[in-house]
Amino acid sequence: LRDDAPPLARVDRIDRTDLAAGRCLAPGFSIVGSRRSKGARTLVPPDTAVCDDCLAELYDPGDRRFGHPFITCTNCGPRFTIITDLPYDRPNTTMASFAMCPACEAEYRDPTSRRYHAQPIACHECGPTLAFVDSAGRVQNGDPIDRAAEALRCGSVVAIKGLGGFHLACDATNDAAVAMLRERKHRPDKPFALMVPNLAAARHLVALDEHEARELSSPARPVVLARALGEAGISQLVAPDNPLLGVMLPYTPVQHLLFASGIATLVMTSGNRGGEPIVFRDGELFVRLGPLVDGVLTHDRPIEVPCDDSVVRVEGPDLLPIRRARGFAPLPVSIPHADRSALAVGGELKNTCTVLASGNAWVSQHIGDMENLETVRAFEAIAARLSQFYRADPDVVVADAHPGYATTGWAHRAQAAPVLEVQHHWAHVASVMAEHHLNPDTQVLGIAFDGTGYGTDGTIWGGELLLADGHRFERVGHLAAVNLPGGDGAVRYPNRMALAHLHAAGIAWDPSLPPLIPFGAAEPTLLATQLDKGIACVRCTSMGRLFDAIASLVGLRHEISYEAQAAIELEMLAERAAAPRSYRFAVNDGVLDPAPVLHAIVADIASDVDRAAIAAGFHHAVADATGRAVEWVLQSRNVDAVALTGGCFQNALLLRLCRQRLRRLELPVLAHRVVPPNDGGLSLGQAYIAATSRSLGQQENP
């Protein structure tokens, strides 16, 4: 069972029962009709890429499924996105309306067939069908794949129905097509993902080591962020000012057939408007995406559950999730000590929700930012669906302690169960504990570096050292606080954060400094008054905002169009450095003060020191300060492990440097490998705390 399991099998445990001699079970193996019963339910399997055996049949003119755009078997294909209820039987999927032809029925019933009880089984005679429609919704004559491929070659934007929703696709080598997609989607800078036909084609675009190549070609088929090779014929508008490209391989037969028609490289981005969830129902397509597309390649198999593409980075042999969705969701994380059920509603950005039931935490797919009604409705539907799947009537609903979060308001307003509010960064730390299956009494020193989280003192946290277990936490260190001018407005303008940090460090605002350049004559004076008097300011310890400040200080980015843009560009700049500059935070009683670093950077800017060396030096300084702060904590506290969490640890360079520095302390250094370090992992941490909390009131040592 362990060594020769089917390709998609996951063996969590094997239970053995000894029987008396002569009491043998009946010989043979069969799959019998499912029965409804109380208690634990079966796994909801994730969607997986079409397997090599099916691809061989897809391209074999002698096979009866030659060219069939929905070819699948027991070892591949849609799962999570077509399930309407458990158990996973054909009547409980969106394939229920497609009656199997005699040939498919025979394979489905034959234990020797690769399609034995393959619930999405279909062929040309009985399966779903493709269609290509124009922007007005009129079905076009001819082969749908050929029509779509021709439209893409001509520079059109085509919506393509996938497993969990629609993609917006265009020719990645066509500047005009990519520019048109950016304009229509109102996405000026954020990189687009690319799809290429195979691993060889991917190697022409990005540098792949063995670990990245393994993830790219795995059954999950995520988008892998890897270093671009430069002159590869791809439009510079695909990922402007970014040396990383997000690349994925085809995972549906439809996508393979498109590439077989001569398409080379496609932009494949989520089928949505900025800030909205992915479109997955045909009836919503032209309402929400009509102005964005010139044609649609669609089919008549309904999508029951929306699910976006997963995004990962690979750091050494380890997977670093950035967005956990198709291919991974909703596989559970075991929390064996859980003795209650819970619904954890996550945070405001990169939202996921988690259902805790029967000792498992079922983490949803990526939902999105809770900034509009469409995303809130998607969240409600997904939370209801997971609860339905696992028959979870929650004993407690867990939410972020931020009073302004839509999810927190929803938890109090829409749920009958008691609500447990959990501090943002404690949930981050708990998510690492859950991933690594730590006992809730384990003492973890969590390094939680991110952009924004509501602190217990009413200020904005984000550069935190928390001594935590599953029952309580204590704030034992943090980044030195500065005024956040204008609240959330400073998030969009990194130069405001740069000036706030310079002001806190007592550094004069020389007009030649890059953060001052975008301002008019009067604005710096007004901002200085605002910072002096604390007018419309919130105290902030955010490490993410400090990264933004440094990006502005070196002249990289003064205004952003998507989250973490400035910090991402700072990481990319640092990776190009021949050698880092030497900077050092002041670390006193657990407080990380960047003032000495800021003074040194300003001096280096005045001396025209290489910006890449400055950026690299800052990354090294953060890792060094983190290590020294941890050493200070260890002088008086017992710690079993250190956990690295929060959105800043999407930065592979920072993660690598912090790991190297902390491993000198001979403590386990834990990082994310199942859920993202960003707010996409919050709901898992919330569920872990709900499982271990001794009461329904938040417990903390202040």
Side-chain angles (χ1 to χ4, degrees):
L1 289 175
R2 289 197 186 279
D3 299 334
D4 194 26
L8 299 185
R10 165 177 156 165
V11 180
D12 289 327
R13 73 174 193 267
I14 294 176
D15 296 330
R16 170 177 169 157
T17 302
D18 292 332
L19 300 179
R23 290 188 58 210
C24 295
L25 299 175
F29 176 79
S30 63
I31 297 177
V32 300
S34 300
R35 298 189 304 270
R36 288 192 174 272
S37 61
K38 295 182 179 180
R41 307 195 77 188
T42 56
L43 290 176
V44 176
D47 300 314
T48 56
V50 58
C51 68
D52 290 341
D53 288 332
C54 283
L55 284 178
E57 295 170 347
L58 181 71
Y59 295 126
D60 180 3
D63 192 275
R64 74 184 190 91
R65 291 188 176 88
F66 173 61
H68 180 51
F70 303 95
I71 191 169
T72 186
C73 70
T74 308
N75 301 327
C76 67
R79 301 287 194 274
F80 177 45
T81 53
I82 64 170
I83 294 175
T84 59
D85 198 4
L86 290 179
Y88 173 49
D89 295 331
R90 192 177 179 99
N92 292 334
T93 73
T94 60
M95 289 296 296
S97 61
F98 297 93
M100 285 183 280
C101 68
C104 286
E105 178 84 24
E107 291 174 309
Y108 184 82
R109 304 295 179 192
D110 180 4
T112 68
S113 171
R114 199 175 82 250
R115 294 186 169 89
Y116 182 44
H117 277 259
Q119 309 305 342
I121 188 173
C123 69
H124 289 290
E125 183 176 341
C126 63
T129 55
L130 278 179
F132 184 76
V133 302
D134 64 18
S135 58
R138 296 181 294 254
V139 177
Q140 302 297 291
N141 295 326
D143 181 83
I145 294 289
D146 291 341
R147 294 300 300 267
E150 181 61 25
L152 290 165
R153 280 191 289 267
C154 292
S156 296
V157 174
V158 176
I160 301 173
K161 191 174 182 180
L163 292 182
F166 284 89
H167 286 104
L168 298 177
C170 71
D171 182 353
T173 67
N174 186 326
D175 282 339
V178 179
M180 181 169 61
L181 179 54
R182 285 203 174 279
E183 181 179 358
R184 291 178 179 179
K185 199 172 179 182
H186 303 295
R187 185 167 165 170
D189 301 306
K190 190 175 182 180
F192 285 136
L194 297 176
M195 182 175 281
V196 294
N198 49 49
L199 196 56
R203 292 188 188 279
H204 285 294
L205 298 181
V206 291
L208 296 173
D209 63 24
E210 60 176 313
H211 307 294
E212 291 166 323
R214 176 198 67 213
E215 293 300 333
L216 190 63
S217 54
S218 71
R221 288 291 199 278
V223 176
V224 175
L225 300 179
R227 185 163 296 278
L229 292 177
E231 298 299 325
I234 300 302
S235 170
Q236 294 297 309
L237 298 174
V238 168
D241 301 317
N242 196 320
L244 296 182
L245 283 177
V247 179
M248 61 178 157
L249 301 184
Y251 53 86
T252 71
V254 169
Q255 294 162 356
H256 280 280
L257 291 170
L258 269 176
F259 284 109
S261 71
I263 297 292
T265 307
L266 290 176
V267 167
M268 277 284 207
T269 188
S270 302
N272 56 9
R273 293 180 295 194
E276 293 186 358
I278 190 170
V279 174
F280 68 102
R281 292 190 177 96
D282 292 271
E284 296 179 341
L285 176 65
F286 288 104
V287 174
R288 290 173 54 191
L289 295 184
L292 280 66
V293 301
D294 303 303
V296 182
L297 181 60
T298 187
H299 57 76
D300 57 356
R301 182 179 67 204
I303 297 171
E304 182 68 17
V305 181
C307 196
D308 221 322
D309 294 314
S310 293
V311 181
V312 303
R313 295 185 75 171
V314 180
E315 175 56 26
D318 299 324
L319 186 68
L320 175 58
I322 304 297
R323 183 171 72 194
R324 183 179 185 267
R326 177 188 49 76
F328 299 103
L331 289 175
V333 175
S334 174
I335 304 182
H337 56 270
D339 59 359
R340 59 164 61 115
S341 62
L343 170 63
V345 300
E348 195 77 354
L349 302 178
K350 298 178 171 62
N351 178 266
T352 63
C353 60
T354 294
V355 167
L356 178 67
S358 304
N360 281 312
W362 309 88
V363 186
S364 79
Q365 69 274 37
H366 166 85
I367 298 171
D369 297 346
M370 305 290 284
E371 58 186 16
N372 55 58
L373 182 59
E374 289 80 6
T375 309
V376 172
R377 286 173 173 167
F379 159 81
E380 291 174 336
I382 289 169
R385 177 55 51 83
L386 279 184
S387 298
Q388 169 203 340
F389 279 167
Y390 298 105
R391 299 177 188 167
D393 185 12
D395 300 316
V396 60
V397 178
V398 201
D400 194 278
H402 195 300
Y405 277 6
T407 47
T408 303
W410 180 87
H412 284 284
R413 183 179 64 252
Q415 297 296 298
V419 176
L420 172 66
E421 292 189 358
V422 172
Q423 199 280 327
H424 187 92
H425 300 96
W426 185 23
H428 271 308
V429 177
S431 68
V432 183
M433 297 181 69
E435 280 193 34
H436 291 269
H437 308 293
L438 297 187
N439 183 289
D441 295 322
T442 305
Q443 286 293 303
V444 170
L445 182 55
I447 313 300
F449 290 166
D450 64 1
T452 299
Y454 188 73
T456 57
D457 57 2
T459 66
I460 299 301
W461 291 4
E464 310 308 309
L465 279 74
L466 304 182
L467 189 62
D469 58 24
H471 312 294
R472 64 186 64 81
F473 77 93
E474 179 183 355
R475 190 190 196 198
V476 293
H478 57 83
L479 187 68
V482 299
N483 279 332
L484 184 72
D488 287 344
V491 176
R492 184 178 174 187
Y493 296 100
N495 62 332
R496 290 178 176 270
M497 280 313 306
L499 296 179
H501 271 284
L502 293 177
H503 180 273
I507 299 172
W509 294 356
D510 188 310
S512 65
L513 284 172
L516 273 298
I517 294 172
F519 281 118
E523 288 176 279
T525 302
L526 293 173
L527 184 59
T529 301
Q530 183 181 1
L531 292 169
D532 282 335
K533 298 183 177 181
I535 300 170
C537 292
V538 179
R539 297 295 280 172
C540 169
T541 61
S542 167
M543 184 63 76
R545 299 290 79 81
L546 179 58
F547 269 80
D548 289 350
I550 302 301
S552 174
L553 196 56
V554 300
L556 263 183
R557 177 71 55 180
H558 306 305
E559 180 179 358
I560 65 169
S561 64
Y562 63 91
E563 187 190 9
Q565 182 179 8
I568 290 169
E569 292 178 0
L570 187 69
E571 178 196 356
M572 297 303 105
L573 178 65
E575 290 279 20
R576 300 204 299 265
R581 296 290 288 171
S582 180
Y583 305 130
R584 190 172 172 86
F585 281 67
V587 178
N588 298 301
D589 296 335
V591 177
L592 288 66
D593 184 355
V597 175
L598 293 162
H599 279 275
I601 288 176
V602 168
D604 279 350
I605 291 170
S607 301
D608 202 25
V609 171
D610 177 58
R611 294 192 311 168
I614 295 173
F618 173 71
H619 280 75
H620 280 261
V622 172
D624 173 70
T626 302
R628 288 189 286 134
V630 171
E631 288 172 342
W632 176 82
V633 173
L634 293 178
Q635 292 174 10
S636 59
R637 301 302 185 94
N638 293 321
V639 174
D640 298 312
V642 177
L644 304 177
T645 187
C648 289
F649 286 108
Q650 294 176 134
N651 181 323
L653 175 59
L654 179 66
L655 177 62
R656 184 163 64 249
L657 293 173
C658 283
R659 274 177 160 168
Q660 291 170 355
R661 178 63 176 81
L662 292 169
R663 280 171 179 159
R664 301 180 200 169
L665 306 179
E666 298 183 352
L667 276 175
V669 180
L670 310 178
H672 287 275
R673 58 191 184 191
V674 176
V675 297
N678 61 45
D679 286 3
L682 278 179
S683 66
L684 174 61
Q686 292 171 347
Y688 181 88
I689 291 168
T692 59
S693 179
R694 297 191 180 102
S695 74
L696 295 184
Q698 178 175 326
Q699 301 182 28
E700 178 203 357
N701 292 331

